[in-house]
């Protein structure tokens, strides 16, 4: 099949297209129709089907005779351990864990927060929740206790499953003390916590509330898979928006199963039984979709990698893992390849390994700069596919469909729309812009199955964030253009989200923290270009009048404050003190202009600027810390 015929098949009858894809899923009761538009512009897919995610990800493969196939490989260069879990073992482990959760009262619809590092038990916890129809919400380990508390209060979990610790190079991440701290801050309290004790740091358990992962499963009957409706949420995943309050992206069961399974064959071009590796973290959407669910639903072997692209122990780690486990398709963030390239510029370490199993490298999470793609193409000699999607969408929206047709790659573009999408570029007044012109990237409603139906507890915010500005369309929050061949180019965000090492962060959230410092009267945070991480946050502080303390001291304090409140993942290391911030006459801070100055780009003086002289002060402040050229 060609890409053109794939898109024709989808656009001529989207419902038939997705109903056909739904046949690869094992339903307890198949849906009678694909789309439910009774509540438009909010849409649901496969609402009247009954199905279980864990059954499709685990049990069905065992029943089909693939119990001895490896489901999960844990490869942890940080702890120097590797082990494999077959589908049959995974079924036994997940059924036991789900049984213990059920015995403590977890039922369909209850929320469960999972706060765990890159260990297979994180996937088992997700699958155990899905087995019961409980809705999990995984929180990334690089967030601070406060961020965990915010999520606890928003999704009000009945239980929290955590590990005693995580391991970053040279540093233990104290998950359990972070959890205890979060529970002290949170208003909502779970009925109980389950702690997976790691030997690197055993945590103190609080009697009555905390249960040990292993012993709480003792003597409890296994749980069977609970059928849920197609529109029942399988998980909530919080992601950054414009304000400090994260958005709880809801994922509905039916569409999630259908779309992820479809994507494995058509986008990633892999067959069941092959090894698929996404080097991300279970705390991000890439981890949900392509470490846990999609490979397992599709019957692949997935790798849970606890390490970094460099330093664990060297820039050859990726290639070692690919060779050792015979990875067929590898997915990582461009920043990871940049980190490898910086240490091994000629790719010499690649020659130490037999990478003959590897057919494709996929990149996503941030813009893939042409130099990084070219380096990977040159050294790996396989197709390098940049592809674009978001937490909200759950799987690739724009890509090269490697299982359908290997269309030419265009450097700087993540490719062409996948079924379900028809990217349009709109101008400020909602008018459609011609080929090559930059504008807001939108796609017509309804979104395809597997994308967010709403935000948890925040339907109004869902409508305002994604549907209100351009009625009839989903607003991506990205700006870009489409070329004459229909390839999309992503150029920037239209909101205050920045992307640091492939991690999506809110400058608004950082500003809220800075503004909480007693000596800060006003502040702004911008994302400046960074050769390794893509972007890095830089804070600008205007001090309260009368403050005479050393600026360096205040700068160090706000850096610590952001690390304590948001977490190390914010990578907030730089704050500068300025007298004033550039603003429009109506008082809006000119952040985009500040970014251009920092990146040494030319810019048009904003017509509404209050006092152009302030821009020179900003440039001088940036130059004092190594930005904005000379
Ligand atoms: N738990 C706790 N802390 C974490 C964490 C986790 N799971 N993941 C990252 N952190 C910490 C890091 O230790 C670092 O802390 P530090 O300030 O004490 O050094 C901080 O958060 C920033 O992390 P990050 O920006 O990811 O940098 P890094 O030093 O961990 O890695 C590279 C740097 C160069 C290797 C980076 O380019 C990279 O590859 N990051 C991962 C990219 C990725 O997988 N993104 C997922 C999107 S698909
Ligand atoms: P997240 O929700 O964390 O996956 O982040 C989604 C955002 O990351 C998108 O809206 C883009 O701004 C950016 N992004 C993801 N993939 C790409 C890509 N391939 N090219 C450019 N930007 C990307």
């Amino acid at each position: 099949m060609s890409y053109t015929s794939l898109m024709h098949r989808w656009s001529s009858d989207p419902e038939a297209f997705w109903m056909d894809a739904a046949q690869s899923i094992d339903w307890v009761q198949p849906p009678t129709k694909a789309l439910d538009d009774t509540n438009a512009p909010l849409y649901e897919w496969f609402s009247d089907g009954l199905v279980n995610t864990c059954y499709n990800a685990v049990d069905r493969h065992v029943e089909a005779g693939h119990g001895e196939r490896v489901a999960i490989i844990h490869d942890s260069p940080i702890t120097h351990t590797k082990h494999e879990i077959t589908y049959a073992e995974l079924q036994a482990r997940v059924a036991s864990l789900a049984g213990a959760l059920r015995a403590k009262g977890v039922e369909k619809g209850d929320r469960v927060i999972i706060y765990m590092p890159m260990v297979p038990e994180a996937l088992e916890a997700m699958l155990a929740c899905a087995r019961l129809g409980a809705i999990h919400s995984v929180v990334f380990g690089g967030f601070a206790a406060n961020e965990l508390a915010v999520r606890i209060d928003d999704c009000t979990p009945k239980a929290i499953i955590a590990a005693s610790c995580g391991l970053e190079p040279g540093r233990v991440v104290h998950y359990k003390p972070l959890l205890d701290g979060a529970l002290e801050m949170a208003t909502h309290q779970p009925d109980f916590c389950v702690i997976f004790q790691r030997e690197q740091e055993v945590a103190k358990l609080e009697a009555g509330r905390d249960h040990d992962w292993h012993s709480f499963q003792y003597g409890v009957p296994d749980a069977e898979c609970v059928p849920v409706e197609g529109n029942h949420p399988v998980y909530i995943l919080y992601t950054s928006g414009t304000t400090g309050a994260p958005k709880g992206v809801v994922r509905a069961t039916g569409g999630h199963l259908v779309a992820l399974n479809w994507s494995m064959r058509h986008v990633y071009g892999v067959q069941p039984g092959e090894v698929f590796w996404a080097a991300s973290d279970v705390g991000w959407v890439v981890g949900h979709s392509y470490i846990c669910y999609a490979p397992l639903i599709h019957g692949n072997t997935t790798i849970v990698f606890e390490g970094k692209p460099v330093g664990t122990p060297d820039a050859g780690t990726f290639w070692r893992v690919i060779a050792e486990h015979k990875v067929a398709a590898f997915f990582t963030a461009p920043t990871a390849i940049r980190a490898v390239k910086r240490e091994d510029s000629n790719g010499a370490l690649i020659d130490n390994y037999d990478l003959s199993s590897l057919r494709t490298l996929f990149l996503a999470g941030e813009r893939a700069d042409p130099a990084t793609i070219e380096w990977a193409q040159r050294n790996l000699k396989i197709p390098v596919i940049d592809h674009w999607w978001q937490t909200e969408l759950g799987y690739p929206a724009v890509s090269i469909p490697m299982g359908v047709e290997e269309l030419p790659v265009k450097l700087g573009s993540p490719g062409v729309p996948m079924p379900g999408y028809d990217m349009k570029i709109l101008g400020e007044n909602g008018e459609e812009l011609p080929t090559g012109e930059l504008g807001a990237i939108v796609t017509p409603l309804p979104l395809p199955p597997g994308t967010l139906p709403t935000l948890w507890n925040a339907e109004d915010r869902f409508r305002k964030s994604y549907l209100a500005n351009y009625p009839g369309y989903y607003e991506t929050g990205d700006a870009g253009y489409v070329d004459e061949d229909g390839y999309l180019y992503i150029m920037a965000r239209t909101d205050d989200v920045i992307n640091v090492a492939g991690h999506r962060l809110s400058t608004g959230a950082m500003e809220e923290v800075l503004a909480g410092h007693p000596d800060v009267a006003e502040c702004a945070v911008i994302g400046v270009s960074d050769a390794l991480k893509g972007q890095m946050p830089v804070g600008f502080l205007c001090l309260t009048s009368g403050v005479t303390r050393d600026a360096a001291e205040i700068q160090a304090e706000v850096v610590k404050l952001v690390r304590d409140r948001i977490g190390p993942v914010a990578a907030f290391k730089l704050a500068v003190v300025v007298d004033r911030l550039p603003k429009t006459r109506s008082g809006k801070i000119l952040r985009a202009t500040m970014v251009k100055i920092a990146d040494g780009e030319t810019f048009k003086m904003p017509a509404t600027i209050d006092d152009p002289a302030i821009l020179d002060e900003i440039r001088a402040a940036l130059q004092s810390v190594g930005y904005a050229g000379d």
Side-chain angles (χ1 to χ4, degrees), residues 595-618:
V595 172
K596 288 218 156 53
I597 294 173
D599 292 349
E601 285 178 26
T602 51
F603 62 91
K604 224 170 93 203
M605 183 64 71
T608 54
I609 191 164
D610 187 32
D611 178 3
I614 303 180
L615 295 183
D616 294 329
E617 296 169 27
I618 295 294

Side-chain angles (χ1 to χ4, degrees), residues 384-409:
V384 178
I385 307 297
D386 177 17
H387 62 327
W388 175 92
W389 48 295
Q390 318 177 291
T391 305
E392 288 85 344
L393 305 177
Y395 62 104
V398 172
S399 183
I400 301 292
M402 292 303 281
V404 177
E405 182 182 355
E406 195 183 325
L407 296 171
V409 162

Side-chain angles (χ1 to χ4, degrees), residues 250-266:
V250 173
R251 192 82 57 214
T253 300
H256 182 238
L257 283 165
V258 172
L260 289 189
N261 191 66
W262 182 90
S263 71
M264 288 301 281
R265 176 156 311 181
H266 296 87

